[in-house]
Amino acid sequence: MEKRSWAEPYKIKMVELLKMTTLEERKKAIVDAGLNTFLLKSEDVYIDLLTDSGVGAMSDRQWAGIMMGDEAYAGSRNFYHMHDTIEEYYSYKYTVPTHQGRGAENILSQIMISEGDFVPGNMYFTTTRLHQEIAGGHFVDVIIDEAHIPDSEHPFKGNVDFIKLNKLVDEVGAEKIPYICIATCVNMAGGQPISLENLKQVRAWCDKYGIMLVHDMTRVAENAYFIQQREEGYQDKSVKEIVYEICALTDAATMSAKKDAIVNIGGFLAMNDKRLYEKACELVVVYEGLHTYGGMAGRDMEAMAIGIKESVQDNHMRARVGQVEYLGKLLDDEGVPVVKPYGGHAIFLNAREILPHIPQKHFPAQALAAALYVESGIRAMERGVVSAGRNQETGENFMPKLELVRLTIPRRVYTQAHMDVTAESVVRVMKNANKVKGLRFTYEPKMLRFFMGRFEEID
Ligand code: F0G
C-alpha cells in the first residue's frame, strides 16, 4: 500500500538549546534528588518527559496574544475572550478562572461535598481525590476492570462500569453522592478515552438519580480524537464537534488548561448552573483572585483563549497523538511492555514486567524512572504505588494494579528524533533491568508524596 505519513502542522521559529550531561553527572544528580525525578533540576535533564502539563510550545499567535494582555484588576478584556471561547467551544455558560486545575478542584469540592459523601469517578487522579477527601468525601473507582489491565486492548478503557456505579447507589443512597466525576482521556489509566456511548449512558444515569455530572476536561480534545478514530458513527465529525458534544453532555467542568489548551499556566471551573456559579465566585475570591482573573494574568487568559481554538484542530490532534503512537510503536516493536492501546498524552511502561524482581512495596516504577534518567538524561514520572499514596483512614499504602512509568509527551515540543533516542534508551535500561534495585523512602510527605518524597536503594 502507498504510504502516507502525517507531519507536524507547524514549523519551528525559535529553539531552546538542551544541555547534555555525562553519566557521572547524572548519577550524582539523581542521588541529590533522592531518586525522585520531580526533584531533579530541569537543567540536568536532556529530554523532559515528566509531564505534558504547562510545558507545551505556544504558537506565534499565542505569543502575540501575550502582548495583548489587559492587566486590569477587574473585567480584563482577555477574561471575556476566554469566557466566550469556553462557551463557544466547550458549551459551558459560566467560567471561573483558576490558577490551574487543582484550584478548580478545590473550589468544586468545597462547594459540593459534605462530610461522609461519596464521589464516584472513572479512576482517581492524585489532586482530584485529595481535594475530595479534604472536603470530607470518599472517592469510589467505577471505571471498567479493563482499565486496570495494562495489555487489555479495549478501545475505551475510560468507560464507566454501571454495575459498580449501581452498587454504590444501592449501598449509600443517591443523596450521599453529590456528583460523579468523569475524566476524558483518563490520565492514571494510561491516557485512555471514554466513548460517547458510555458518556451518554452516564448522563442518563445522572438524570435518573438527580446527580450532577462533572467533567475533568483536562484532555478532552485527545479523547475526542480517539472517538473520531474508534467509535462508530463519528468518523466524519471533526474533533471540534466531538469536543463540544462531550462537554454538552455534562453539567460542569474542571480544567487544567496547561494540557490540552497549550498554555504554561491556567485553568478554570465552568458550569451551566447560575447558583453554582455564584457559590464558586464567593470562593474564588478567597483562594485564587477576583472572579475575572482567578489567579491568572490577563495575558495568560488571552493565550488560553487562542490555545483552545488551536487545540481542537484535526491536524493538530493527528500530529499530537500520532507522535505518542510513534513512540509507543517503537517500544512495542522492541518488546518493551507498554500500556495498550497507546494513550493520548503518554506512553506508560509496565514496571512490574520490566522489573519482576522488585516487589511493589519496593517501588519498581520509581526505581525504573530513576534508572532511565541515569542511563540517558530522560526524565519520566512514576505512576504507581508512590503516586497512589496511603488510605487516609487506615494508613495503608494503596496498591494499584498499574505500576507504571509515564513517558509524557509535551505538545509541539520534541521531534521524531527525540522519540527515537527515547525508545533506544528505554530498551537499554530494560536490557540491564536486573541491575536496578528496589527503593525505600527516606522522607515521606503526608500528602501527594510523589512530588517531594525521597528514596534510597535497598541492597
Ligand atoms: N486532572 C487531571 C486529569 C490531571 O492530569 C491534572 C494534572 C489535574 C487534574 C490537575 O491539574 O496540575 O493544573 O493543577 N496533571 C499533571 C500531570 C500534573 O502531570 O499529569 P493542575
Side-chain angles (χ1 to χ4, degrees), residues 51 100-102 105 125 127 187 216 218-219 256 259 406:
T51 178
Q100 57 183 73
R102 67 199 71 180
E105 293 166 355
F125 183 71
T127 57
N187 190 355
D216 180 341
T218 298
R219 296 183 182 83
S256 170
K259 283 83 164 174
R406 187 179 76 173

Side-chain angles (χ1 to χ4, degrees), residues 106-324:
N106 174 35
I107 293 172
L108 177 80
S109 303
Q110 287 207 36
I111 296 173
M112 296 293 301
I113 300 173
S114 308
E115 191 66 39
D117 278 350
F118 294 84
V119 185
N122 54 348
M123 206 173 264
Y124 84 100
F125 183 71
T126 52
T127 57
T128 320
R129 185 181 67 197
L130 185 58
H131 278 299
Q132 293 164 357
E133 289 172 351
I134 290 172
H138 303 271
F139 165 79
V140 181
D141 189 7
V142 295
I143 205 165
I144 57 172
D145 285 343
E146 285 87 342
H148 295 280
I149 305 169
D151 49 9
S152 153
E153 299 263 3
H154 195 295
F156 292 104
K157 282 179 163 181
N159 280 358
V160 167
D161 182 338
F162 286 90
I163 296 176
K164 293 180 188 172
L165 201 50
N166 288 329
K167 185 164 166 267
L168 179 67
V169 187
D170 290 346
E171 280 170 13
V172 307
E175 60 292 346
K176 283 271 173 212
I177 304 176
Y179 64 91
I180 174 168
C181 178
I182 295 297
T184 33
C185 253
V186 183
N187 190 355
M188 301 302 277
Q192 303 292 328
I194 178 171
S195 71
L196 260 169
E197 186 193 11
N198 189 259
L199 186 62
K200 284 178 188 164
Q201 289 165 355
V202 176
R203 174 75 267 167
W205 185 91
C206 287
D207 290 342
K208 178 176 165 195
Y209 289 103
I211 290 171
M212 196 170 98
L213 173 43
V214 175
H215 177 199
D216 180 341
M217 61 175 297
T218 298
R219 296 183 182 83
V220 65
E222 288 164 10
N223 198 119
Y225 177 74
F226 284 129
I227 288 173
Q228 185 194 57
Q229 298 301 307
R230 297 178 190 166
E231 190 165 352
E232 187 135 350
Y234 290 93
Q235 277 65 52
D236 296 328
K237 291 219 169 177
S238 64
V239 169
K240 182 177 169 211
E241 288 168 320
I242 301 170
V243 164
Y244 191 91
E245 190 172 340
I246 294 171
C247 294
L249 282 168
T250 67
D251 300 306
T254 57
M255 171 66 154
S256 170
K258 302 169 74 174
K259 283 83 164 174
D260 252 7
I262 332 175
V263 286
N264 300 127
I265 194 75
F268 58 79
L269 173 61
M271 67 287 277
N272 295 321
D273 183 274
K274 188 147 190 257
R275 287 225 330 274
L276 185 66
Y277 170 66
E278 284 164 357
K279 283 190 193 163
C281 286
E282 283 171 17
L283 286 186
V284 79
V285 295
V286 181
Y287 292 106
E288 303 280 326
L290 194 72
H291 66 293
T292 56
Y293 75 86
M296 269 189 282
R299 54 179 169 269
D300 292 326
M301 293 190 279
E302 187 63 23
M304 192 203 291
I306 299 167
I308 289 170
K309 297 175 199 182
E310 293 179 2
S311 74
V312 299
Q313 301 306 316
D314 282 40
N315 59 3
H316 163 68
M317 281 318 306
R318 190 181 313 115
R320 158 61 176 161
V321 178
Q323 187 175 43
V324 178

Side-chain angles (χ1 to χ4, degrees), residues 361 363 385 389-391 394-399 441 444 449:
K361 63 178 183 186
F363 313 128
V385 60
R390 290 179 188 274
N391 183 318
T394 65
E396 291 296 310
N397 278 315
F398 287 115
M399 286 290 185
F441 272 107
E444 182 182 346
R449 61 185 183 176

Side-chain angles (χ1 to χ4, degrees), residues 321-370:
V321 178
Q323 187 175 43
V324 178
E325 284 173 347
Y326 177 81
L327 175 62
K329 190 157 183 333
L330 286 178
L331 291 167
D332 209 13
D333 288 348
E334 291 291 337
V336 179
V338 298
V339 174
K340 302 268 195 61
Y342 309 137
H345 66 305
I347 294 298
F348 291 71
L349 309 176
N350 185 349
R352 277 178 199 269
E353 263 189 55
I354 296 173
L355 303 175
H357 58 290
I358 303 181
Q360 195 173 19
K361 63 178 183 186
H362 296 157
F363 313 128
Q366 188 76 30
L368 184 59

